Amino acid sequence: MLYIFCPHCGSRSQNEFAYGGDATVKRPELNKEISDQEWNNFVYLRKSPRGKHLELWHHISGCRQWIKVERDTSTHEIFKTYKADELTE
Amino acid sequence: MSQDFRLDNIGMVNRNKKISFTFNGKKYFGYEGDTIASALIANGVHLVGRSFKYHRPRGFFGVGVDEPYAILQLERNNERDPNIRATEQEIFEGLEVKSVNCWPSVNFDIGAINNFLKMFFPAGFYYKTFMWPPSFWYKIYEPFIRMAAGFGEASIKHDKERYEHKYEYCDLLITGSGPSGLASAYAAANNGARVILAEDKPRYGGSLLTSDVNIGNQTGAEWSEKIITELKSMSNVIVKNRSQVFGYYDHNMLVMSERISDHLPKTQKYLPKQRLWYIRAKEVLISSGSIERPLVFGNNDTPGVMLSSAAKEYMKVYGVLVGKKPLIFTNNDSGYETAIEFKKNGVNPLILDTRKEPSSDIITEAKNLGIEIKYSYVVVAAKGYKKVKSADIAKISDNKKDLSNIENIECDCICVSGFWTPSIHLASQSGNKSEFNEKIDAFIPKKSKQKENTIGSANGKFTLEETINEAFNKGYEVSNKITENNNKLSIPTVVEKKSTEHDKFWCVPLPKGKSYKRFLDFQNDVAVSDIELALREGFRSIEHVKRYTTLGMATDQGKTSNLNGLQLVSDIENKVVPQVGHTTFRPPYTPVSIGAIVGREVGKHSKPTRKSPMHEWHEKNNAVFVDAGVWLRPRYYKQGNETLFEASKREAKNVRKNVGVCDVTTLGKIDVKGPDAAEFLNRVYTNAWLKLPVGKARYGVMLREDGIVMDDGTTTRISENHYHMTTTTAQAANVLSHLEYYLQLVWPELNVNVVSTTEQWAGAAIAGPNSRALLMKLFPNTDVSNEALPFMGYKEADLFGIPAKIYRISFSGELAYEVNVESDYGNFMWEKIIEVGKEFQIQAYGTEALSTLRIEMGHVAGSELDGRTIPHDASLEGLVSKKKDFIGKRSLSRSAFTKPDREKIVGVVPLDKTTSIPEGSYIVKDPKAKLPNPKLGHVSASCWSVEYDNPFSLAIIKDGKNMIGQKLFAMSPLKNKTIPVEIVSSHYVDPEGKRVRA
């Protein structure tokens, strides 16, 4: 069970969190004309690298904040965690 | 029966407490503190089971977790416990155990015929012998093998015992209380670290209890007693015995199983049977010690052949002799300690040492005691079937290839010592890549992977002096890193006998013309010949050899067999052991009971049960409950002998005719607050929200980004910046996460907060033509007329002194209201509604009637919004704004979602107006068409229409709009039914929606 540092609450066990997938996806702006392909990429295409990955986790049984976690998907090493409004670019 | 093999003046069992137990139905006596193994050996019993494959007699081989043989079936409190190790299970009054894997009895076992048919059971026999003809596999071979496989029988009864889970955090977890564990715990605890010290046995001290050493002018046992007493008294230390740390997981989380009541006749009232500890440790010191390595020779599985360290522990801890004519067979000095212990207890051993001319303190001592020693000697084969009766011994040449002078000598046990194997399992589980140490011929941990260090003999340190020094230093070092304290203890002086190196020899060659089975893996009957065969057949990787021969598998996971297997493979392949490598160690280190893993989360406790504040009223009024997500909801209220069908029909009819009340507390409720709340809702829902006035509700549909409907519900504008959103019961949690996702990550610029208020409000839906009349009586001071409180209106009102909220919304299609009060007043509200509603013939209705009402009205619910439908499919396209953007909108213009013949919701009525259509039925044009019959869609929900008194269903079918009026068929292959049906509008009752607006 992973031990995840929540930037709001401190280190907590994985079972307080829900996994939220690839954090590098950016939603297209509202009312923007975009191609089917572009939309399709946003809705369905997710990175799943072996190694360092930026992921979303939701602290559902804690502060209910979405956070970003930089984790190695093969070793589970967590390098750093960020608040939702950090790393927006 | 008297305990013929019990010694009088030695051991740590409580002689004042005699305990009786039965083994295979026969009564025996032991003492408090005995294990089943020590008590049986005291009684001279060595035959306890039969082996896995050949059903050869099995005795005792070890004295702890490494035991491969003595696996028994235990009965306790009418509960069955399979596969317990006799070497670990302590006896208690009334304990009942029996042998496994033998029939009809352990003494006369029919399966032993396998021993004479062994040519049919070579390595990988299940891939070979039972392959042809193929048709035999399923009916004959598999059932036979299944019957023959496995040891104990699991109970099929419900386990009434309680198992607990516990979460613990500490600075330092130490796994094992031998010399290194005790010393490091002592050093770290005195330096202020919060320490957990875990010991799998009942007694602390490990090897200190059995070895002849001296620490700080005390014997090993005295010193360990002193240290453990001190540790127990410290507030920063948790000391646990009967506790096995069996798994090392990510981020320094370790799991330990504590056997709390297994050694007691009955679990005490407020104690669980076992407790599983999840321990998050800042640092871990692995002090799990080492296990003696066997020597391999002919028939080395005969009962009476056992590890020499086990024989010593049986004497020193339990006061039990494993034999009265012992033969010690060793390749190192450890065997001498056992021999000396025998001699001290009045028994004359004979030592066979594979080495040519060893000399050390302990050998000198043995000689001085007059113990007979033969150098360059080996045991060729054990003789005797159910117990060792004699041994063929021989002189071995210097190159260890040739045997000479074979003679037979009488003995009743053979104690073997092939040096020591460090228990590196936990380090390995943590990710530590081990390395082979040629000095000790075993693997030891390499560089720490997680925050772990291995110390003592688990780290290949086989002298006490090295061990104590390393442990004191590591304990200080690690604690200093955490506490930054500098309280360093002085290390006590250690006196022990110097020993020499071991002989690099483990497997005795076969004498000419003999074909003795020489076993490597004792639990799975894997012999030297099996490994040789696997290699001849081309298996090279040790992982493949393991799986083909089953070497190192089963409940002991090869604790005694792995290294000898590796050595053999490397000898045959002319490699060295590190080239062969070892198989992966995975948790658990020892078997863990399923009960401990599951803990309290059994039956209804696998999920919390949520009840509404009105639950007690429902119970009192004969509600039959149904699980709705985690909630319990009344399905119907039973009157007399009513069936579900009759009751729900009565309840639904009463809503259409008079008035009904339904508990809707379980609906998800979310408060949406903030200046940008309207804009946020406008982006979340498919319809327009910016112009909703205060005091009005609106029905809304929300999508996922892929265009699929996620949820629906009404949201009410309570005040300028405050909305009360409702969700379906099932999706409440997901919707909240969904909203938080968009607010925190996608549109953080919106000034909005969301919070769940599901549990804050109790809700009652009042529905039916009499509902307004009832409302007028409930709220005499509030104008609830159609003008003052129109459809989709909202009012705050006073319910007999309690603040209440009235929403005029309807799920049933009738004139209806939902009244909410704070949860604590829920029951009060409900009872008032029932009391005042009497004159209007009110009846409570459950979810079954609720479904009936919504289905015949054509309202969609979870069965239609099933994660596959877009708004169009559920006839919700009128709610999809063309003007504004919202979550999932772009997906709706994808080609598959805009096809003209896309599925759409319709109503379905059987032509005979009597046959109910099973939910899930297919709608087809031709019931006799060739399979696969092209299906137009499926029936999503069925009910008995109380309005028309005939069955009615909803279905989602291709090109549904143009199908209305057609005669088709509903087919249910599951129920084997084909029903001619007519497709009608999904709005079966009141299609214009007059009633809700009345």
Side-chain angles (χ1 to χ4, degrees):
Chain A
M1 202 192 299
L2 308 186
Y3 205 37
I4 301 170
F5 180 78
C6 170
H8 308 279
C9 309
S11 291
R12 300 298 179 90
S13 270
Q14 183 186 339
N15 50 4
E16 290 187 13
F17 295 84
Y19 185 61
D22 187 356
T24 62
V25 181
K26 200 163 159 46
R27 190 191 193 280
E29 276 169 39
L30 289 169
N31 300 310
K32 194 181 153 200
E33 288 268 321
I34 56 170
S35 67
D36 275 357
Q37 186 59 50
E38 233 180 303
W39 182 255
N40 186 67
N41 290 352
F42 156 66
V43 175
Y44 295 107
L45 286 194
R46 294 290 179 273
K47 284 182 198 150
S48 181
R50 183 181 194 275
K52 220 180 224 190
H53 189 30
L54 192 67
E55 302 169 327
L56 289 174
W57 288 78
H58 190 194
H59 199 183
I60 47 166
S61 302
C63 60
R64 293 209 60 95
Q65 294 298 303
W66 286 84
I67 61 170
K68 294 172 184 170
V69 177
E70 196 177 39
R71 182 179 74 105
D72 189 308
T73 56
S74 62
T75 65
H76 294 316
E77 186 179 351
I78 291 175
F79 305 98
K80 207 173 170 191
T81 54
Y82 304 88
K83 293 179 184 171
D85 59 357
E86 292 179 300
L87 290 183
T88 46
E89 279 315 310
Chain B
M1 194 175 175
S2 61
Q3 301 180 34
D4 284 343
F5 290 82
R6 184 77 71 174
L7 296 162
D8 288 333
N9 305 317
I10 185 170
M12 300 168 183
V13 293
N14 180 7
R15 310 275 170 152
N16 298 321
K17 199 159 174 201
K18 215 169 171 184
I19 286 176
S20 74
F21 66 101
T22 65
F23 169 63
N24 286 337
K26 197 172 166 187
K27 197 169 183 179
Y28 294 94
F29 287 99
Y31 295 115
E32 187 182 65
D34 261 328
T35 60
I36 298 170
S38 67
L40 285 176
I41 295 172
N43 285 284
V45 178
H46 280 265
L47 177 63
V48 290
R50 291 284 176 155
S51 76
F52 196 67
K53 205 156 98 181
Y54 303 125
H55 290 247
R56 290 162 71 105
R58 285 290 178 253
F60 304 98
F61 193 71
V63 71
V65 296
D66 51 316
E67 176 61 36
Y69 293 159
I71 309 288
L72 301 176
Q73 179 97 8
L74 181 143
E75 306 258 343
R76 175 179 178 271
N77 273 336
N78 299 318
E79 304 273 348
R80 244 192 264 167
D81 224 338
N83 298 351
I84 58 122
R85 279 182 297 278
T87 52
E88 285 197 285
Q89 174 67 47
E90 293 158 77
I91 57 168
F92 50 79
E93 193 60 43
L95 169 85
E96 288 176 42
V97 280
K98 59 177 189 189
S99 301
V100 296
N101 212 34
C102 54
W103 185 85
S105 78
V106 68
N107 248 310
F108 177 73
D109 176 21
I110 298 275
I113 192 148
N114 289 2
N115 195 26
F116 302 101
L117 301 173
K118 50 190 166 216
M119 59 282 212
F120 295 118
F121 298 95
F125 73 91
Y126 34 83
Y127 303 122
K128 300 170 181 164
T129 316
F130 299 107
M131 293 308 283
W132 303 99
S135 61
F136 270 39
W137 174 254
Y138 185 63
K139 286 201 172 111
I140 296 170
Y141 297 150
E142 193 193 332
F144 169 76
I145 291 174
R146 282 205 184 283
M147 200 179 71
F151 288 107
E153 282 171 72
S155 172
I156 53 168
K157 281 194 303 180
H158 169 68
D159 186 352
K160 288 193 219 71
E161 295 282 3
R162 204 151 54 81
Y163 300 85
E164 297 274 6
H165 283 184
K166 182 178 167 70
Y167 291 81
E168 192 58 81
Y169 295 79
C170 66
D171 293 334
L172 180 60
L173 172 66
I174 299 171
T175 67
S177 76
S180 59
L182 283 177
S184 56
Y186 193 59
N190 277 295
N191 202 28
R194 291 180 309 136
V195 174
I196 298 177
L197 175 63
E199 168 59 48
D200 74 299
K201 292 195 172 179
R203 296 170 191 81
Y204 301 95
S207 64
L208 292 174
L209 300 180
T210 58
S211 47
D212 187 11
V213 292
N214 203 296
I215 306 178
N217 291 325
Q218 288 175 301
T219 67
E222 284 164 359
W223 186 78
S224 73
E225 178 67 30
K226 184 193 100 173
I227 298 292
I228 206 75
T229 309
E230 209 168 313
L231 285 172
K232 277 181 181 168
S233 72
M234 296 173 79
S235 60
N236 55 334
V237 181
I238 296 173
V239 178
K240 281 283 161 194
N241 60 347
R242 300 187 180 92
S243 297
Q244 179 78 58
V245 178
F246 64 79
Y248 200 135
Y249 299 90
D250 293 306
H251 296 178
N252 254 38
M253 160 115 133
L254 292 96
V255 185
M256 171 171 97
S257 78
E258 183 187 5
R259 302 182 305 277
I260 295 171
S261 309
D262 289 39
H263 64 293
L264 303 172
K266 205 168 174 259
T267 303
Q268 285 170 21
K269 199 171 173 193
Y270 296 107
L271 283 180
K273 184 170 187 238
Q274 294 177 1
R275 182 180 286 134
L276 204 68
W277 294 56
Y278 293 91
I279 303 172
R280 188 82 67 175
K282 284 186 188 150
E283 293 275 346
V284 176
L285 287 180
I286 298 166
S287 54
S288 40
S290 51
I291 292 172
E292 200 162 27
R293 184 167 168 181
L295 292 171
V296 181
F297 53 88
N299 299 331
N300 56 333
D301 64 330
T302 312
V305 178
M306 66 164 65
L307 293 173
S308 93
S309 58
K312 188 174 62 166
E313 190 163 331
Y314 282 119
M315 281 184 276
K316 291 205 81 163
V317 173
Y318 301 101
V320 168
L321 280 176
V322 300
K324 292 180 177 173
K325 219 167 170 7
L327 184 62
I328 315 284
F329 179 27
T330 185
N331 73 356
N332 68 94
D333 286 357
S334 298
Y336 288 80
E337 292 179 33
T338 307
I340 290 168
E341 202 55 48
F342 270 117
K343 185 79 185 174
K344 280 185 188 165
N345 286 290
V347 174
N348 280 320
L350 166 65
I351 299 177
L352 303 187
D353 195 326
T354 66
R355 297 173 292 182
K356 200 176 174 189
E357 293 164 330
S359 76
S360 70
D361 292 356
I362 198 157
I363 296 174
T364 312
E365 184 184 346
K367 276 184 193 158
N368 292 342
L369 284 168
I371 295 173
E372 189 187 346
I373 307 167
K374 286 176 185 277
Y375 298 114
S376 291
Y377 251 81
V378 296
V379 175
V380 175
K383 299 278 163 160
Y385 182 55
K386 289 176 189 168
K387 178 77 200 289
V388 172
K389 288 195 176 111
S390 67
D392 280 352
I393 64 170
K395 192 156 180 79
I396 192 158
S397 62
D398 289 355
N399 65 5
K400 309 284 196 217
K401 297 236 189 294
D402 305 308
L403 302 169
S404 55
N405 307 346
I406 296 182
E407 60 182 306
N408 185 271
I409 58 155
E410 229 182 278
C411 62
D412 63 355
C413 67
I414 303 174
C415 306
V416 295
S417 176
F419 210 50
W420 296 86
T421 309
S423 295
I424 60 167
H425 304 66
L426 286 175
S428 186
Q429 287 174 23
S430 117
N432 192 315
K433 302 268 177 255
S434 55
E435 63 183 343
F436 190 76
N437 182 316
E438 284 188 12
K439 201 170 153 245
I440 62 167
D441 280 296
F443 289 92
I444 56 170
K446 219 169 162 178
K447 206 169 150 261
S448 303
K449 179 75 184 180
Q450 299 196 39
K451 301 265 185 207
E452 104 278 339
N453 283 286
T454 308
I455 53 173
S457 69
N459 193 29
K461 302 282 189 301
F462 288 148
T463 71
L464 186 62
E465 191 174 2
E466 273 179 297
T467 292
I468 291 286
N469 285 340
E470 180 182 45
F472 266 95
N473 289 332
K474 269 282 177 239
Y476 170 76
E477 195 185 294
V478 168
S479 58
N480 168 265
K481 216 162 47 172
I482 298 166
T483 65
E484 293 176 4
N485 292 342
N486 295 307
N487 183 22
K488 199 170 182 177
L489 302 179
S490 60
I491 302 175
T493 50
V494 170
V495 184
E496 64 188 316
K497 292 187 188 75
K498 293 267 179 302
S499 55
T500 54
E501 285 185 3
H502 68 282
D503 200 0
K504 292 177 185 289
F505 171 77
W506 293 274
C507 185
V508 179
L510 283 178
K512 280 196 186 73
K514 296 285 182 190
S515 62
Y516 301 121
K517 279 261 171 210
R518 292 170 295 166
F519 285 93
L520 289 165
D521 188 298
F522 305 105
Q523 197 165 93
N524 276 343
D525 287 351
V526 182
V528 171
S529 54
D530 293 316
I531 301 291
E532 290 169 344
L533 177 66
L535 293 170
R536 277 206 304 282
E537 290 184 359
F539 290 89
R540 287 295 174 271
S541 155
I542 190 66
E543 296 279 5
H544 291 160
V545 172
K546 166 181 170 174
R547 278 153 188 84
Y548 192 60
T549 63
T550 69
L551 172 79
M553 291 196 182
T555 66
D556 69 334
Q557 288 286 292
K559 290 182 178 65
T560 50
S561 65
N562 276 332
L563 266 179
N564 281 342
L566 295 180
Q567 187 70 49
L568 182 70
V569 172
S570 31
D571 287 350
I572 298 173
E573 296 271 282
N574 280 322
K575 286 182 180 167
V576 286
V577 174
Q579 282 176 297
V580 175
H582 63 75
T583 54
T584 315
F585 294 111
R586 294 190 183 86
Y589 174 62
T590 53
V592 186
S593 67
I594 299 285
I597 292 169
V598 174
R600 299 286 287 272
E601 291 157 9
V602 288
K604 287 298 281 179
H605 301 295
S606 60
K607 292 189 283 196
T609 302
R610 297 175 80 179
K611 295 173 183 172
S612 93
M614 289 83 97
H615 189 83
E616 255 178 59
W617 188 93
H618 303 323
E619 274 180 336
K620 271 188 224 148
N621 288 273
N622 296 324
V624 177
F625 292 94
V626 62
D627 289 314
V630 290
W631 291 90
L632 273 186
R633 294 189 74 178
R635 192 172 184 193
Y636 62 102
Y637 299 84
K638 192 174 179 145
Q639 292 186 356
N641 289 324
E642 270 180 338
T643 61
L644 162 69
F645 179 66
E646 291 160 350
S648 62
K649 219 158 95 173
R650 166 181 54 74
E651 291 169 7
K653 256 187 190 160
N654 191 58
V655 172
R656 293 264 183 257
K657 197 170 147 221
N658 300 306
V659 62
V661 59
C662 180
D663 186 347
V664 291
T665 304
T666 62
L667 280 186
K669 305 173 202 77
I670 297 170
D671 248 14
V672 183
K673 277 186 178 175
D676 296 324
E679 172 61 27
F680 180 55
L681 293 175
N682 211 41
R683 296 179 187 185
V684 167
Y685 283 123
T686 59
N687 46 343
W689 285 80
L690 296 178
K691 289 180 185 152
L692 179 72
V694 172
K696 278 286 205 177
R698 184 166 285 176
Y699 175 69
V701 173
M702 58 177 81
L703 309 185
R704 311 189 308 218
E705 290 287 18
D706 63 1
I708 301 292
V709 178
M710 180 178 181
D711 198 43
D712 67 339
T714 57
T715 291
T716 308
R717 192 166 199 174
I718 305 288
S719 66
E720 181 63 23
N721 293 332
H722 180 191
Y723 291 80
H724 172 80
M725 174 187 278
T726 65
T727 73
T728 58
T729 301
Q731 291 290 335
N734 291 345
V735 169
L736 184 64
S737 289
H738 178 75
L739 300 180
E740 285 166 336
Y741 175 88
Y742 283 93
L743 284 174
Q744 293 170 25
L745 289 157
V746 184
W747 303 310
E749 68 278 9
L750 292 182
N751 190 354
V752 180
N753 266 308
V754 290
V755 66
S756 166
T757 56
T758 300
E759 291 183 1
Q760 276 63 35
W761 299 104
I766 300 172
N770 287 346
S771 56
R772 184 177 296 127
L774 168 57
L775 226 61
M776 286 162 70
K777 290 242 168 162
L778 284 170
F779 302 100
N781 305 325
T782 306
D783 184 358
V784 293
S785 67
N786 199 25
E787 294 70 37
L789 184 56
F791 181 53
M792 288 305 208
Y794 162 77
K795 258 191 178 200
E796 288 171 18
D798 174 287
L799 177 76
F800 301 98
I802 305 300
K805 300 184 173 210
I806 312 171
Y807 305 87
R808 186 170 163 192
I809 52 179
S810 176
F811 191 53
S812 56
E814 292 297 326
L815 171 65
Y817 303 87
E818 263 182 48
V819 182
N820 278 12
V821 295
E822 285 173 29
S823 292
D824 288 353
Y825 299 122
N827 210 37
F828 172 82
M829 166 184 71
W830 187 267
E831 283 178 348
K832 277 289 173 204
I833 293 170
I834 297 287
E835 180 192 321
V836 176
K838 253 182 206 151
E839 62 171 293
F840 304 104
Q841 281 77 48
I842 197 166
Q843 287 185 21
Y845 63 102
T847 55
E848 198 69 20
L850 184 75
S851 293
T852 297
L853 295 167
R854 75 96 185 164
I855 292 169
E856 64 176 3
M857 277 290 168
H859 288 174
V860 292
S863 47
E864 288 76 36
L865 308 180
D866 61 357
R868 294 180 291 184
T869 44
I870 59 171
H872 166 276
D873 308 350
S875 279
L876 298 169
E877 64 271 31
L879 289 167
V880 176
S881 166
K882 297 227 161 36
K883 290 180 194 147
K884 55 136 195 176
D885 199 1
F886 53 85
I887 294 167
K889 184 179 191 183
R890 180 65 183 78
S891 289
L892 295 179
S893 56
R894 292 188 306 166
S895 57
F897 287 175
T898 52
K899 276 206 292 204
D901 66 341
R902 226 193 121 74
E903 287 79 0
K904 196 162 189 63
I905 188 167
V906 292
V908 184
V909 179
L911 291 186
D912 67 0
K913 302 275 174 111
T914 47
T915 312
S916 286
I917 305 167
E919 290 178 348
S921 296
Y922 295 149
I923 302 292
V924 297
K925 275 191 175 142
D926 175 9
K928 297 198 169 77
K930 222 179 113 205
L931 295 176
N933 193 343
K935 68 162 189 169
L936 296 168
H938 73 279
V939 171
S940 60
S942 290
C943 74
W944 188 276
S945 165
V946 289
E947 183 86 8
Y948 296 107
D949 202 25
N950 57 252
F952 175 74
S953 299
L954 292 175
I956 296 178
I957 63 171
K958 211 164 216 176
D959 201 14
K961 210 171 160 189
N962 294 321
M963 289 289 179
I964 290 176
Q966 292 216 33
K967 305 262 194 306
L968 301 171
F969 294 88
M971 284 181 78
S972 171
L974 270 180
K975 299 259 164 90
N976 202 16
K977 271 187 185 173
T978 303
I979 304 160
V981 297
E982 184 183 354
I983 304 299
V984 298
S985 160
S986 60
H987 299 293
Y988 197 43
V989 173
D990 189 23
E992 292 88 38
K994 282 183 190 151
R995 296 181 191 178
V996 293
R997 294 180 174 82

